[in-house]
Amino acid sequence: MKTCLHIVVLLSLMVVGCARTVDDRVEEVVATPSLLKLSAIDSLMWWRADSALAVMMEFAGSEAADSLDVFEGHYCQVLIAELLYKNFYKQSNRKELLKAVHYFDSIVGMDGYGADTRDVSVQKGVSVQGRDAFLAARAHYINGVGLYERDSVVEACGEYLKALEVVETHFPNLETQDVASLRVEHLPRFMGLTYGRLAELFSGQFMQEPAIVCCKRALEFQEIEPGSPLNQSGLLYLLGKQYDKLNQYDSAAYYYDEALRLLPDTNNLVYRDLVSQYAILKYETENDAESFIQDLGCMVAQAADESEKLTRYLTIGAFYADVGQNDSALKYLTPVFMYKDDYQMTREAARCMRDIYQSQGDSLKVIQYAMYLTDNEVHEGESNAQVSQLNELFQRHLQWKQKKAESERMLAEQLAARRRLVRGVVTAVVVLLVVGLGLWWWMARRKKEHEAETQTWHEEKQQLQTRVDDALQQLQTVDDALQQLQTQANDALQQARSMLPQRVNEIYSSKVENRLERIMAEFKAAYPKALERLAAAHPELNEVERQMAVLNFLHFRAKEEANLTGYTEGTTLKYRSNLNKKAGSDPISALLAEGKI
C-alpha cells in the first residue's frame, strides 16, 4: 500500500469534493460538463487507471465538482472506489460507496422500471436504463471488493453475484450479442472481471466446481471483449489449478500450457506461479524430483516479495518431508511457520513439522505443533461454515438463472402466440374490409346501371355469391381447425392424466424438499378444475384435508403421506379419518364418477 502524503491529501480532497450535491430544491437537472467529465474519466479508467486517477484528483479540486447533482455524486463515488482499487489503494470512501449502492438499486430495480428519468443526453446511443443498470452492477462489484479486503468473503460473494444478476436481468443473452449492439462500453469485460473475482474467491476456499464454472464463464467473456494477455493467462492458470486439485492432471496440463502460451513475458507472478505449479504436477505424474527442485529453486530466486518466497518454501519443504529428507524439510518449513500473516501457509507448515517430529520421536515438538493446530481448529470450523454459505449462495444464483431462463422462454412463447393472433385478426379485418368495399362498390354501380345492365347485374350477383361461399368455406375451415385444437387439448389432458401416476412416482422418489408442492402441481395440470369442484362439493374440508384427498386419489399410503407432508403418521391417519367422515375416503374419484370433474 502506497503511503505518500500528498496522495493521501489529494484523495481526501477528492472524497470531500465529490460528496457535495446541488440544492435539493432544484427539480430538473440537465446534462452538465461535470457529468461529461465523469464519463470521460470513466472511459479513460478502463485503459489507463493511473492517468484517470490523476484527472479525477484535478477534477475533485475544481468548481465543477461542487455542482454535482445526486446522480453524479454517487456516480463519482463509484468511480473513486474503482480508481482506488485499480491503483492499489485501500477503499477510503466506504460510507459514500454504500450510499451509492443503495441509490443505484433504487433507480434501477430488478425490473428496470425505476431508471433515472432526468433529461440527460447519453453518449453513443446508450439508454438511460442500460447506463444506470451497468452503474448499479459496478457499485455492487466494487462494494464486494471492499468487503473481500476486509475478509468478509461470504458478503463479498453475495455482492459479486448481485452484480451478475443486475447485468443479466437488464442485458439478457449478453454473451451471444455483438459488443457494438450492447451500446454500453466494457460491459463484457466487466462480466469477465466479476466472474474472475468469483473464481479466485471459490478457489481460495477450495471449492473447485464453482471455481471451474466461473473461470470458464470469465474466459467466454474474454472472447467477446479481450482483456490483457496477462489476465487471460491468469484465468487459464486458475482453471488448470482447479483441475490439478481434482487430480485431473491431463486437463490441468492443457490449461497450464495454454496459459504459458499466452503470457507476454516471464517477468510476472503468473509465470512464476505457473512454473511452480507445473513442476508439482510433473513430479506427481512423472516423479522427476530433480526437475522439481531445480524449477522451484529458480522461482524462489525470482520471488518478488517475502510472501511469494515463503509460498515456494512451503512447497519445497512439503516435498522434502514427503521423501523423508527431514532436515532439508525443516530448513524450509520453519520460516514459513514463523510467518504469521498467512494462516493457511502457517497451518500447512505446522502440520508437516508435526509429522516430521513425530517420525523422529520428538514428543515435545509434536506437542508444540499439535497444540498450535488444536488452538486454530476454530478457524477450520469457521472455514467449513463459510464454504457452506458460499455454496448456498452459488446454488441460489444458479437456480435464479434457471428460473430466469424459463421465464424468458415462456414470455417468448406468449409473445409469439400473441403475434399469431394479431396477424389472424388483421387478416380477417382486411378480408372483411375488402369484401365490404367490394359490396359497396357493387351496389353503387348497380344503382346507376340497373336499367341498362340487368344481365351484368346477374353475373356480378353470381360472382358475389361465389365469394360468399368461399368466405363461408374459409370460416368452416377455421371452425374445423378450432375443433382440431380442442381435440388436441383434450388429448394432451388425457395424456397428462395417464402420465400422472408415473410423474408422481418420480417426484416422490426424487427426495427433494418441495415434493408435495410439485405433486400438487402435477395433479392440477392433469385435473385443472378438480380442487375447485372438490371445494364446491365439500366446503367443510380445509386445505390439508383437500391435500389428503389428492394423495388418497393418487394411492399414497399413510406412511408415504406423512413423509410428504412432514406430519407424523398418527397425524396423517387423523386427517384421513376426518376426510372420510366429511367427504368419504376418496371424494375425488366420486366426483369423477359423477362426471362433475
Side-chain angles (χ1 to χ4, degrees), residues 392-515:
E392 183 179 350
L393 279 175
F394 187 69
Q395 293 303 321
R396 193 181 305 162
H397 173 70
L398 295 180
Q399 292 171 5
W400 174 86
K401 291 190 67 172
Q402 184 177 2
K403 291 179 180 178
K404 176 176 172 292
E406 181 65 20
S407 298
E408 290 174 352
R409 184 189 63 79
M410 293 178 63
L411 179 60
E413 291 178 353
Q414 292 173 359
L415 289 175
R418 192 174 301 172
R419 292 192 194 98
R420 290 194 295 270
L421 178 61
V422 170
R423 284 196 295 267
V425 170
V426 170
T427 301
V429 169
V430 170
V431 170
L432 291 174
L433 182 61
V434 170
V435 172
L437 289 173
L439 182 60
W440 173 83
W441 173 84
W442 175 79
M443 292 179 66
R445 184 175 180 181
R446 177 67 186 87
K447 186 176 181 180
K448 294 179 181 180
E449 301 176 354
H450 179 66
E451 295 294 336
E453 300 180 354
T454 302
Q455 185 62 34
T456 303
W457 181 86
H458 285 292
E459 293 175 357
E460 290 178 348
K461 182 179 179 182
Q462 186 61 38
Q463 292 176 359
L464 179 62
Q465 185 62 46
T466 301
R467 292 179 182 178
V468 171
D469 292 339
D470 291 340
L472 290 174
Q473 183 63 37
Q474 291 176 359
L475 290 174
Q476 182 62 41
T477 302
V478 172
D479 184 65
D480 292 343
L482 291 174
Q483 289 294 334
Q484 185 178 1
L485 288 175
Q486 182 63 42
T487 301
Q488 292 175 355
N490 291 336
D491 292 343
L493 186 61
Q494 290 301 322
Q495 184 179 4
R497 291 179 178 179
S498 65
M499 292 294 292
L500 182 60
Q502 179 183 347
R503 291 285 301 138
V504 166
N505 185 56
E506 291 174 354
I507 293 171
Y508 179 78
S509 302
S510 65
K511 304 298 183 182
V512 296
E513 294 181 359
N514 58 344
R515 291 180 298 170

